[in-house]
Amino acid sequence: MKIHHFLSLFSTYFLVDGVNIEDRAGQFFSSGHTNNWAVLVCTSRFWFNYRHVANTLSVYRSVKRLGIPDSHIVLMLADDMACNHRNPKPATVFSHKNMELNVYGDDVEVDYRGYEVTVENFLRILTGRLPPSTPRSKRLLSDDRSNILIYLTGHGGNGFLKFQDSEEISNVELADAFEQMWQKRRYNELLFIIDTCQGASMYERFYSPNLMALASSQVGEDSLSHQPDLAIGVHLMDRYTFYLLEFLEDIHPASKTNMNDLFKVCPKSQCVSTPGHRTDLFLRDPGSVLITDFFGSVRKVELTMETINLTDPIEQLESAESGELQKEMHTYADQLPVSEIIHQKPKQKDWHPPDGFILGLWTLILLVFFQTYGVKHLKHIF
Amino acid sequence: AMAEQKFRVRARALVCVFVCVVMCGCGRDDFQEELVIRPLHSGDIYTSFQFRTLWETDFTRENKVSHYRLFPKSLGQVISKFSVRELHISFTQGYWRTMQWGQPYLPSPPGAELWVWFQDSLTDVDGTWKELTNVLSGIFCASLNFIDSTNTVQPSASFKPLGIGNVTDHRFLRYATLPREIVCTENLTPWKKLLPCGSKAGLAVLLKSEKLFHSSFHSQAVHIRPVCKDDQCKTTSWELRQTLNVVFDLHNSGQGKNEWSLFKMFSRTLTEACPVASSSKIYIDITDNSQGEQFELSPATPLLSQAVVLGDRRTFSVYDLTQQITFGTMRSLNLLIRGKSSDMLRPLLHAERYVAGYGLQTGEIHTLMYNNHPYRSFPVLLLDSVPWYLRLYIHTLTVTSKGKDNKPSYIHYQPSKDRVRPHLLEMLVQLPPNSVTEVTLQFERALLKWTEYTPDPNHGFYVGSSVISSLVPSIVAMDTNNSRERPLFSSFFPSKEESSYFVRVYTEPLLVNLPTPDFSMPYNVICLTCTVVAVGYGSLYNLLTRSFQIEEPSPGLAKRIANIIRKMRGVPPL
């Protein structure tokens, strides 16, 4: 695939005019993915962590705008800020002060919320080991041709990320989860973005191929928040994600910006912390990876000229109603049948054999009885 | 884009109608939408949306239903896969204040509530219940998967089926509430997607989340039940009702002027009815305003309708959205209601509940039920479901009315099992006229295991609302013919007798604090233990296993130089 890519690069340099369409077609198929997924996690609870929810929702909004549908996004918000009673404007989450941009919007589907956002659920989503009754919207149904974007935000430290103030996930666990995903062929390429204090420590331990990681701060540095809003009373966004959102607002589904531009987002002068990135595990050159490879969605279209014969429409069976149906009248049940309730017999509980304790007690009593009085009394019983 | 969308919806509706006419006319479905607006005497306004889809089909037959038109496919598959006979789910934010707002058309408790009647052909009810809650949590984007055996109960007399059917074996009923569940746009979005017109046309265009959640009370619900198709009631059809009740606060919505309009409430106006709806109406309750002295309604409408609802005959002004003249020359309808409504009658039944006591060990639950009727008494069925970590002492249960003991004629109590089942208490109490009945029950708080605490344990733990079901005497004769065409808001609870109507009242949920441990203690203990072990055992180990040798200290510099000189001289060193 790399050779193919180099060839197409050479062709653009030397054959300018006529090969433009072919070259674009070449680029269309150059990355190996056919579908896009996103897992966006906010791990903080409580009203003063409003900015983490705003971070996650702004990435959610950009990702939806660039084409990834709700069915391919797993959104986890550890607390509810929009309908929180402290929110002066309910059903909104703002990212810019003076309430310019409502990132919560009117069409949001949160898959995991509140107490469901735990380390266990997060790792289960990544590795696919969910209980059988989990609905589809709560699963990451990726395959080996999926590009996955994983975004984490919250409070973190050197080597760990805190979930909901009660547990944490370490960088070793995360690296092992990605290795499981690689071995189960659950991703083609994975972009990992983390916006926490000392975020770079979370990607230090990765060892699976095709992982690219970005963090908002190096080890020993704190990620800072951007600006408070005086009406709402809390900080609205973190700096790194604020400038990331500004950068993404300029991207449209057909844009050609690549990852090198993403690495330049939020330099130290704006962010106060130094954003870091890691590309040594990634096979392709970051300059050739488009932003829309991860943030947008690819719909693979196959043109075919052959005709396909559709089968005949399914005949809706005439339900053999009239003869078969009962002739008796149905009635509505009585909502509060007082006399019936008063005379309700106690339910016949299913008989269970006596519990262990009772059985043991009776055995003891019988043993003592027969010990005292001798076995000859048995004949009185049988 | 608007015109294009309208055209698309119209085109889709035309195609649907055409297809339906062409295919055999078995199982036609019908959609009706309705909005009821009731100005309240405190200046607030109560709006209730109801969307009803009726479909004559049989979900329980072997050949799976495959052609869905107006009925949403996700719910149809849920009904057939889980052998559901009736399903009622509601999500509520806020508490309904009966004394200030009167009785709601559809009551609901704060948080999420789910109760389901299964078909009597089902063998494993508990397993199916667990799967059903998981599937519903995916459909409605709510954490309904937290419903498990620790908060599910099987009422023995309350929650009789609201649809038709003969069997009422309570083994097939399950009831659960999640008082902590929040409602927000993420629950409204999939709810709106279940409607045939979505939120693009008809009354559903008014459902904008920024205004709906900025209210005192917001409740959205889905009710599925089998109903009679016609008067003879020989065939059944499935009814899906989606209801949304909102109470807008006068002072919250700005300016404080006693003026309400559709634009002020919903930031939208109506431009058309849903094209696939057979009826689309707005009802404004003008019973207290017969001469127009209390409030003024514009644009004026000639249509009037009377309905018997909640035991009273009420008069309504009707706006029919399927008629083009309703929208006037502007092609948009913005109802304006100026003025306040008069004082309402005191509701005949309402209830309160609170926790008494002090400290973190014991407490007492008090439930107060008020019967405000001057001379009639009526029976009331109280259902209480208390989590296992509040250990109830049933021997302390007292029921008193007017100072005297009031013995319930039916008590069903199922004790809890730690971490398995909650307490269930059901009592049938006769409330004497014009009285307060107080039910008190003492409890003790349990200490949970440290992994069982939520991430924010100091917030407290919720106890779900009590449910009080009752047949309240009505002022006018109720209509017992349940199959007649009636406005949707008056046909939810079926009435069997003329002198009383069925009402369900929910109390407040309780918030109790459980004794919370210091969660940093495991870390502290580990540190302390390791330090003690390291210092104590380590020192002892060193003392026992080290061998000691005497070692000459090396002499100072001056002494060493002196020794070298002495060695050179041949004299013994110092």
Side-chain angles (χ1 to χ4, degrees):
Chain A
M1 202 170 319
K2 252 201 165 153
I3 302 173
H4 201 260
H5 175 71
F6 274 130
L7 276 178
S8 69
L9 260 183
F10 277 127
S11 60
T12 54
Y13 281 130
F14 293 124
L15 310 158
V16 180
D17 274 306
V19 248
N20 235 355
I21 297 162
E22 277 173 25
D23 156 58
R24 256 187 270 148
Q27 268 190 347
F28 181 73
F29 291 104
S30 66
S31 75
H33 73 283
T34 61
N35 56 81
N36 284 76
W37 287 81
V39 179
L40 311 173
V41 185
C42 160
T43 60
S44 310
R45 170 166 279 276
F46 304 121
W47 175 245
F48 50 82
N49 289 322
Y50 182 102
R51 58 188 189 278
H52 296 139
V53 174
N55 288 351
T56 319
L57 285 172
S58 51
V59 177
Y60 172 75
R61 177 202 139 80
S62 311
V63 145
K64 257 183 96 157
R65 197 175 50 84
L66 292 172
I68 304 187
D70 266 317
S71 52
H72 283 228
I73 303 179
V74 178
L75 179 61
M76 302 172 72
L77 298 179
D79 201 0
D80 167 53
M81 301 302 167
C83 288
N84 196 318
H85 296 294
R86 290 184 183 181
N87 194 345
K89 295 206 77 176
T92 58
V93 173
F94 291 107
S95 61
H96 288 61
K97 70 168 184 224
N98 301 324
M99 304 188 190
E100 284 165 19
L101 181 59
N102 173 17
V103 288
Y104 193 57
D106 214 15
D107 184 22
V108 59
E109 287 186 17
V110 181
D111 302 303
Y112 286 83
R113 59 184 200 166
Y115 298 133
E116 291 179 294
V117 178
T118 57
V119 174
E120 184 190 339
N121 281 347
F122 177 60
L123 292 177
R124 280 185 187 277
I125 291 169
L126 290 182
T127 52
R129 293 193 182 153
L130 290 159
S133 51
T134 316
R136 283 180 76 101
S137 57
K138 287 185 163 177
R139 288 180 189 258
L140 180 66
L141 297 164
S142 56
D143 51 28
D144 64 323
R145 287 258 154 267
S146 309
N147 273 14
I148 307 183
L149 166 72
I150 297 187
Y151 177 81
L152 294 174
T153 183
H155 288 288
N158 191 354
F160 66 92
L161 171 63
K162 188 169 74 157
F163 266 70
Q164 291 213 51
D165 220 21
S166 66
E167 48 182 5
E168 63 272 336
I169 185 172
S170 65
N171 48 6
V172 176
E173 281 177 352
L174 197 58
D176 287 341
F178 287 151
E179 176 64 15
Q180 270 198 50
M181 286 175 80
W182 174 251
Q183 293 196 1
K184 287 165 88 162
R185 298 287 178 264
R186 280 170 70 78
Y187 69 89
N188 174 40
E189 286 168 348
L190 200 143
L191 176 64
F192 175 78
I193 306 182
I194 183 160
D195 187 351
T196 64
C197 304
Q198 308 195 46
S201 62
M202 288 305 283
Y203 59 65
E204 272 172 2
R205 299 294 194 109
F206 288 172
Y207 54 94
S208 321
N210 272 345
L211 291 178
M212 189 178 335
L214 279 112
S216 61
S217 56
Q218 301 292 335
V219 176
E221 285 180 351
D222 286 337
S223 278
L224 301 176
S225 58
H226 186 64
Q227 45 175 250
D229 180 294
L230 296 175
I232 299 179
V234 284
H235 284 256
L236 294 180
M237 283 274 269
D238 277 333
R239 281 177 193 250
Y240 181 74
T241 314
F242 181 82
Y243 291 107
L244 181 70
L245 176 66
E246 259 186 24
F247 172 77
L248 288 174
E249 288 285 305
D250 290 331
I251 310 281
H252 55 91
S255 71
K256 294 275 168 252
T257 26
N258 55 36
M259 281 295 164
N260 284 332
D261 302 320
L262 192 62
F263 297 152
K264 295 199 203 90
V265 162
C266 207
K268 195 173 164 79
S269 54
Q270 283 176 326
C271 251
V272 184
S273 57
T274 322
H277 55 89
R278 181 176 173 180
T279 51
D280 55 317
L281 294 166
F282 205 75
L283 294 177
R284 290 195 287 153
D285 171 37
S288 69
V289 179
L290 301 175
I291 301 278
T292 50
D293 277 353
F294 289 103
F295 285 88
S297 183
V298 166
R299 309 281 161 86
K300 212 133 197 224
V301 172
E302 210 180 279
L303 295 172
T304 173
M305 291 300 168
E306 48 184 76
T307 45
I308 299 173
N309 289 323
L310 296 170
T311 54
D312 287 324
I314 302 169
E315 289 292 322
Q316 193 81 344
L317 286 170
E318 269 284 350
S319 45
E321 345 151 341
S322 4
E324 203 183 291
L325 256 194
Q326 315 88 315
K327 289 294 183 198
E328 81 252 18
M329 251 185 76
H330 297 279
T331 48
Y332 285 96
D334 207 353
Q335 288 300 305
L336 193 69
V338 176
S339 51
E340 204 184 290
I341 291 173
I342 292 176
H343 300 299
Q344 203 164 323
K345 283 208 207 35
K347 279 188 303 209
Q348 295 298 333
K349 277 221 132 103
D350 300 328
W351 184 80
H352 292 290
D355 205 0
F357 174 69
I358 304 291
L359 204 63
L361 194 66
W362 275 106
T363 321
L364 187 68
I365 293 170
L366 283 171
L367 262 173
V368 168
F369 175 77
F370 288 116
Q371 198 132 32
T372 342
Y373 296 106
V375 186
K376 62 180 188 289
H377 286 269
L378 258 181
K379 66 173 194 293
H380 291 292
I381 300 174
F382 291 112
Chain B
M2 270 299 288
E4 200 183 78
Q5 268 178 1
K6 260 203 298 198
F7 172 73
R8 241 184 269 142
V9 172
R10 284 243 169 79
R12 212 184 307 150
L14 273 171
V15 168
C16 283
V17 168
F18 181 66
V19 166
C20 255
V21 163
V22 164
M23 293 185 67
C24 62
C26 44
R28 296 293 310 280
D29 47 8
D30 175 58
F31 176 67
Q32 295 170 353
E33 53 179 21
E34 179 185 284
L35 165 61
V36 184
I37 301 182
R38 186 165 98 194
L40 302 168
H41 81 280
S42 56
D44 303 333
I45 195 158
Y46 170 40
T47 57
S48 170
F49 290 84
Q50 285 212 34
F51 302 94
R52 177 170 90 155
T53 310
L54 268 179
W55 195 19
E56 191 193 329
T57 182
D58 188 6
F59 284 113
T60 54
R61 65 171 183 210
E62 284 88 48
N63 307 354
K64 293 204 175 54
V65 178
S66 56
H67 180 71
Y68 288 87
R69 193 173 77 100
L70 298 176
F71 200 93
K73 183 173 178 183
S74 50
L75 291 180
Q77 288 180 327
V78 162
I79 298 173
S80 49
K81 181 163 183 223
F82 298 112
S83 309
V84 164
R85 184 173 140 198
E86 262 189 49
L87 187 138
H88 301 270
I89 183 166
S90 72
F91 297 95
T92 310
Q93 178 204 63
Y95 174 65
W96 182 269
R97 301 183 190 282
T98 316
M99 286 308 274
Q100 289 154 349
W101 301 337
Q103 293 281 3
Y105 296 120
L106 290 134
S108 52
E113 185 202 41
L114 171 66
W115 57 282
V116 177
W117 273 92
F118 291 97
Q119 304 278 359
D120 43 354
S121 53
L122 190 64
T123 44
D124 178 19
V125 182
D126 287 315
T128 317
W129 170 252
K130 191 84 188 86
E131 281 182 33
L132 177 64
T133 51
N134 275 317
V135 166
L136 288 174
S137 85
I139 295 178
F140 292 106
C141 284
S143 22
L144 295 174
N145 44 323
F146 284 130
I147 293 179
D148 54 8
S149 65
T150 58
N151 47 23
T152 310
V153 290
Q154 191 183 317
S156 65
S158 310
F159 291 104
K160 294 267 184 239
L162 285 170
I164 57 178
N166 300 326
V167 181
T168 55
D169 185 353
H170 279 259
R171 276 187 300 135
F172 297 102
L173 169 65
R174 292 289 184 273
Y175 173 81
T177 55
L178 291 173
R180 188 81 201 267
E181 193 67 17
I182 45 148
V183 196
C184 209
T185 313
E186 65 241 26
N187 305 110
L188 187 64
T189 310
W191 189 93
K192 282 197 286 193
K193 287 183 182 162
L194 295 173
L195 295 170
C197 281
S199 53
K200 306 270 189 306
L203 289 171
V205 298
L206 297 176
L207 302 176
K208 288 293 156 200
S209 55
E210 282 183 20
K211 286 288 188 175
L212 285 181
F213 291 103
H214 198 49
S215 56
S216 308
F217 178 84
H218 171 100
S219 169
Q220 60 195 58
V222 171
H223 301 277
I224 303 176
R225 58 176 180 165
V227 293
C228 291
K229 186 171 158 247
D230 48 22
D231 277 349
Q232 275 76 41
C233 213
K234 295 278 194 329
T235 49
T236 70
S237 24
W238 284 90
E239 178 194 77
L240 164 70
R241 275 192 202 226
Q242 287 181 252
T243 65
L244 196 131
N245 293 343
V246 193
V247 174
F248 290 103
D249 191 271
L250 179 65
H251 302 288
N252 238 349
S253 314
Q255 282 114 42
K257 277 195 296 200
N258 267 324
E259 186 184 279
W260 289 103
S261 69
L262 282 185
F263 190 78
K264 184 176 174 191
M265 289 191 275
F266 303 108
S267 68
R268 289 285 182 288
T269 57
L270 289 166
T271 50
E272 57 166 348
C274 176
V276 292
S278 62
S279 112
S280 177
K281 293 199 169 85
I282 301 184
Y283 294 86
I284 320 274
D285 189 339
I286 56 166
T287 321
D288 305 314
N289 194 36
S290 36
Q291 267 83 46
E293 68 269 8
Q294 299 286 340
F295 58 85
E296 180 198 316
L297 192 59
S298 74
T301 174
L303 298 168
L304 277 181
S305 147
Q306 284 208 338
V308 179
V309 62
L310 296 172
D312 195 10
R313 175 162 286 119
R314 314 288 292 179
T315 319
F316 296 88
S317 287
V318 184
Y319 292 83
D320 191 348
L321 297 178
T322 47
Q323 310 291 331
Q324 205 45 39
I325 70 165
T326 319
F327 298 104
T329 45
M330 303 284 284
R331 288 190 201 281
S332 101
L333 177 65
N334 184 17
L335 287 172
L336 202 60
I337 301 170
R338 214 177 274 118
K340 255 165 85 142
S341 171
S342 63
D343 276 330
M344 53 159 205
L345 297 156
R346 250 189 350 162
L348 291 174
L349 173 69
H350 89 281
E352 286 171 3
R353 193 163 75 141
Y354 56 89
V355 172
Y358 59 90
L360 283 176
Q361 189 170 6
T362 54
E364 206 171 276
I365 300 180
H366 289 244
T367 310
L368 299 162
M369 296 183 283
Y370 295 82
N371 176 357
N372 293 324
H373 200 282
Y375 52 86
R376 292 275 299 269
S377 72
F378 48 83
V380 141
L381 190 59
L382 170 68
L383 170 76
D384 244 322
S385 162
V386 179
W388 63 266
Y389 40 80
L390 297 187
R391 304 220 161 95
L392 299 179
Y393 290 106
I394 289 294
H395 72 280
T396 58
L397 173 70
T398 62
V399 184
T400 46
S401 310
K402 291 183 172 172
K404 288 193 302 230
D405 211 15
N406 183 354
K407 191 162 158 15
S409 32
Y410 170 79
I411 300 186
H412 172 75
Y413 174 64
Q414 192 186 46
S416 70
K417 240 185 188 179
D418 271 8
R419 299 176 182 90
V420 171
R421 273 204 306 251
H423 298 270
L424 172 67
L425 176 64
E426 270 185 282
M427 292 196 295
L428 185 67
V429 183
Q430 188 83 3
L431 299 185
N434 211 11
S435 67
V436 181
T437 306
E438 184 167 343
V439 179
T440 59
L441 191 51
Q442 286 181 8
F443 65 87
E444 196 181 69
R445 298 169 216 233
L447 190 65
L448 299 175
K449 295 183 183 166
W450 77 292
T451 47
E452 289 173 342
Y453 286 96
T454 55
D456 54 350
N458 291 301
H459 180 90
F461 290 78
Y462 282 88
V463 178
S465 316
S466 302
V467 187
I468 296 169
S469 323
S470 161
L471 281 171
V472 176
S474 64
I475 302 171
V476 299
M478 299 297 294
D479 188 357
T480 51
N481 184 354
N482 291 310
S483 337
R484 213 151 50 110
E485 270 300 312
R486 285 196 289 184
L488 294 176
F489 59 88
S490 61
S491 60
F492 188 63
F493 288 115
S495 10
K496 285 237 154 167
E497 42 181 296
E498 292 190 342
S499 57
S500 58
Y501 64 98
F502 180 73
V503 82
R504 199 172 270 147
V505 176
Y506 291 93
T507 62
E508 300 96 324
L510 301 174
L511 185 59
V512 287
N513 263 322
L514 289 182
T516 312
D518 180 359
F519 291 101
S520 62
M521 277 316 283
Y523 169 75
N524 294 344
V525 166
I526 292 171
C527 280
L528 191 67
T529 319
C530 290
T531 312
V532 164
V533 165
V535 170
Y537 175 70
S539 328
L540 198 65
Y541 178 79
N542 282 336
L543 275 173
L544 291 175
T545 55
R546 260 195 218 148
S547 56
F548 290 94
Q549 298 168 335
I550 299 175
E551 195 181 280
E552 292 284 329
S554 57
L557 184 62
K559 254 196 177 165
R560 264 193 270 146
I561 294 174
N563 278 340
I564 292 170
I565 297 171
R566 282 179 101 116
K567 210 168 37 172
M568 287 195 319
R569 280 171 57 191
V571 172
L574 288 167

